[in-house]
Amino acid sequence: MSNHAPVVPAARADQFIAQSLDLAGISLESVEKLRTLFRTIAHIPDNNPTTQELAALGAELADGWANVIDCEREDLERLAASTPMN
C-alpha cells in the first residue's frame, strides 16, 4: 500500500478548487442567513425566556460555523491563487 497521494491533472485540480470555492460561498451565505434568523427571533418581544435563550444559542452556533466556513473559504482562495491555471 502506497503512502503517496494520487496524481491529479492540473485542470482537474483547478476545477476542484473552483467548485470548493463555490460550495464554501454558498455555505457561508446559508449560515449567515441562519444567524440573521436567530438574531431576529432573539429580538421578538416574548415573555418566554426559553425562546430567547434558544435563539441566542442558535445565533452563537451560527457565528461559530460562519467563522469556520469563512476561514476554509479563505484557505481555498489562497490555494487557488497559488495554483497555476492551465
Side-chain angles (χ1 to χ4, degrees):
M1 179 186 277
S2 175
N3 289 334
H4 300 286
V7 175
V8 177
R12 178 66 183 120
D14 291 343
Q15 181 183 14
F16 172 75
I17 291 168
Q19 289 172 333
S20 297
L21 286 169
D22 288 343
L23 180 59
I26 291 167
S27 298
L28 182 59
E29 181 181 332
S30 297
V31 172
E32 286 174 345
K33 288 178 181 179
L34 179 65
R35 175 175 42 203
T36 300
L37 173 65
F38 279 113
R39 286 183 175 163
T40 301
I41 291 169
H43 289 96
I44 293 173
D46 189 357
N47 292 331
N48 184 349
T50 303
T51 302
Q52 291 180 354
E53 289 170 7
L54 289 173
L57 179 61
E60 186 176 322
L61 181 63
D63 281 340
W65 276 109
N67 187 33
V68 168
I69 292 168
D70 192 39
C71 289
E72 290 297 322
R73 181 190 50 79
E74 289 173 352
D75 289 346
L76 286 169
E77 286 176 344
R78 280 191 291 275
L79 180 60
S82 68
T83 303
M85 299 303 248
N86 295 333

